[in-house]
Amino acid sequence: MTSQKPSSPAVFWPRCSAVHGCTGRATGRFGGCPAHLRPREFEEFAGALRPGADLDLRGVTVPVWLLDGVLDAVTGPDGRPHLGRARFDGAVLPADAVLRGVCVEGDSSFDGACFLGGASFYDARFFGNASFRGARFGGNASFHEARFHRYASFEEAVFTCDALFGEARWHADASFREAVFMGAACFDRARFGRDAAMQAARFGGPVSFKRVQVTRHARFERTRFRQGVWLGPLAAGGRIVLSDATVHGSLRVHAAAPRVTARGIVVHGEAGFRLRHAELDLEDAVFEGPAAVRSLARAIQGLAPPVDAPAAVRVASLRRVGAAEGLHLADVDLSGCGFLGLRRPDALAITGDCAFATVPARRPLHPWGRGERAVLAEDLPHGAADPGRLRVLYLELARATAESGRPRVTRDFRYRALEMRRRTERDPLRRLGLHLLWITCGYGLRAGRAVAWLAVIVALACCGASALHHGDRARGGHTAHRPGGGHTAHRPGGGA
């Protein structure tokens, strides 16, 4: 969208020398900043403005009449104010500043600006780079349905009341690094064309990211949430990063993304991850309330899923995870998950169709039967885990899977626990006893092996009995007993 610019755009020169502290820039003709022009001078100044004119109000304490007069002067036939390059660095804007529907066709800068009260940028359009770095909003700030066509920065901005970014659109990166939200923050139905960067931001009130689409990464590293957070339904084409974040209250992540990383996150409440198309990494996470990880059976309506990603959730790591009130895993892929160092394995529950890594089963006596056995990723051939620690893990996972409806996996874990014990047993007699149990009946967990041994014993007994029977018959064919104790040789086919 373009507008005809004036032949003589408004230009401001050296700083105002007014004694009341205004740092605004003086106009070249009138020798004073716009806030201090006389009425007739201001009318002449505003009359020179046209839609699309550049505006420089850096350091100006902008009264309501000045803001309204400038916006009226640059309003185009479409009813929207049109500015070229807008510079409000360090400006003080009035309470309830209304820039509704404003179109800034060049770069805009509000760095360090102070909004004394509420500010409305509802349905605004920023066609150039937009920067609100270090801006202060004294009241509610509304960017509802705003459009940012290039890079937008709200880094270190402070929102003392509610911040509304519902249905906003960013066509490039949006940065809220180290921003402070003291009231509620709403990003519902927002769209981010590249990254949504919110590292080290502070959210003091409720936070909502419902039905949000992020083309690349949603980044919340080191972010602090004072009243919990609800992320989702949310779809990201790259990563959702919550590493080292702190959540006071509940955490809800309902998302589809190729990778969700929450390493070192601390949640002082309940935590729930309902994911699709994702690989989840929870290494070193701490959950003070109950935590759960589940796969979403259906796609998130209205949000595009990541490309070429399987629907199942793959848990990459639970190493050193602390879950004080239990961790529940349901219908997730655990074939590559690391468990070593899990702080409360006794509070782990595994239900549904959870896949584990497998290795070929060794069958010393019979080649038939099942060919694979469930194991942990740390117990794969290339792993170098401590067998003693693995034994404890296997026992706890056997308990955790006991109610999952998959008794075969439970038996496999109990079997592997005894295998670890057999490998680490130092007493020779006990080790010999474990070897005998392993080879004869698979520690009492392999009924087929015991049946095979029984079949071998029965076969050997039958063979022995048959051999004895044939031996007796052979000896009886060469001798015949007579009455009175004598005997005669027996001739085949003839008499005595």
Side-chain angles (χ1 to χ4, degrees), residues 146-389:
R147 302 292 186 270
F148 299 87
H149 289 260
R150 299 187 67 181
Y151 177 76
S153 172
F154 290 84
E155 296 180 4
E156 301 178 11
V158 177
F159 300 87
T160 59
C161 295
D162 296 345
L164 308 177
F165 289 89
E167 301 186 38
R169 300 290 187 274
W170 287 268
H171 294 275
D173 292 331
S175 178
F176 290 83
R177 293 183 179 93
E178 299 185 28
V180 177
F181 298 82
M182 297 183 182
C186 177
F187 290 84
D188 293 349
R189 299 183 183 275
R191 296 291 185 271
F192 295 86
R194 285 172 60 89
D195 291 352
M198 302 194 182
Q199 296 96 319
R202 303 291 186 270
F203 293 89
V207 186
S208 180
F209 284 83
K210 295 179 181 177
R211 311 208 69 79
V212 173
Q213 182 93 44
V214 182
T215 301
R216 292 209 316 178
H217 310 309
R219 308 191 63 175
F220 298 90
E221 299 102 310
R222 306 180 307 283
T223 303
R224 302 293 183 265
F225 302 92
R226 295 294 300 177
Q227 295 188 27
V229 58
W230 189 297
L231 295 179
L234 184 152
R239 293 174 293 156
I240 299 175
V241 187
L242 288 159
S243 299
D244 299 316
T246 302
V247 182
H248 296 270
S250 62
L251 168 68
R252 294 287 185 274
V253 181
H254 180 183
R259 187 171 181 84
V260 179
T261 302
R263 288 192 168 203
I265 191 173
V266 178
V267 182
H268 300 281
E270 186 177 356
F273 295 85
R274 300 175 61 201
L275 305 174
R276 186 174 175 86
H277 305 288
E279 179 178 283
L280 176 64
D281 188 348
L282 293 176
E283 190 166 307
D284 294 311
V286 176
F287 304 104
E288 293 187 357
V293 180
R294 303 175 183 273
S295 289
L296 286 173
R298 298 181 180 179
I300 301 175
Q301 295 296 326
L303 296 178
V307 180
D308 298 331
V313 175
R314 303 171 305 282
V315 181
S317 178
L318 294 175
R319 296 184 180 94
R320 298 178 296 281
V321 169
E325 298 186 22
L327 176 61
H328 183 199
L329 307 175
D331 301 311
V332 295
D333 185 352
L334 300 170
S335 59
C337 180
F339 285 89
L340 283 177
L342 184 64
R343 298 178 190 176
R344 286 289 308 276
D346 58 308
L348 182 66
I350 300 175
T351 60
D353 187 13
C354 292
F356 290 90
T358 58
V359 295
R362 292 184 299 173
R363 300 176 297 275
L365 294 178
H366 51 89
W368 58 87
R370 183 167 54 91
E372 292 184 337
R373 179 179 296 126
V375 297
L376 297 181
E378 288 98 341
D379 196 20
L380 292 174
H382 59 270
D386 179 13
R389 298 173 66 190

Side-chain angles (χ1 to χ4, degrees), residues 436-452:
L436 291 175
L437 285 175
W438 169 67
I439 201 170
T440 56
C441 61
Y443 310 110
L445 298 172
R446 297 292 182 257
R449 191 175 301 180
V451 171

Side-chain angles (χ1 to χ4, degrees), residues 392-459:
V392 175
L393 265 179
Y394 274 122
L395 288 174
E396 294 296 345
L397 286 173
R399 177 204 55 76
T401 58
E403 298 180 1
S404 65
R406 301 177 65 190
R408 182 174 292 177
V409 173
T410 302
R411 288 196 302 270
D412 286 344
F413 286 160
R414 289 175 178 168
Y415 182 89
R416 293 301 295 174
L418 290 166
E419 282 280 270
M420 297 298 109
R421 181 181 175 184
R422 180 169 64 90
R423 294 179 186 179
T424 57
E425 181 59 60
R426 295 181 179 181
D427 185 274
L429 293 178
R430 291 181 180 177
R431 187 165 58 251
L432 177 60
L434 288 171
H435 274 289
L436 291 175
L437 285 175
W438 169 67
I439 201 170
T440 56
C441 61
Y443 310 110
L445 298 172
R446 297 292 182 257
R449 191 175 301 180
V451 171
W453 273 109
L454 182 60
V456 170
I457 293 172
V458 170

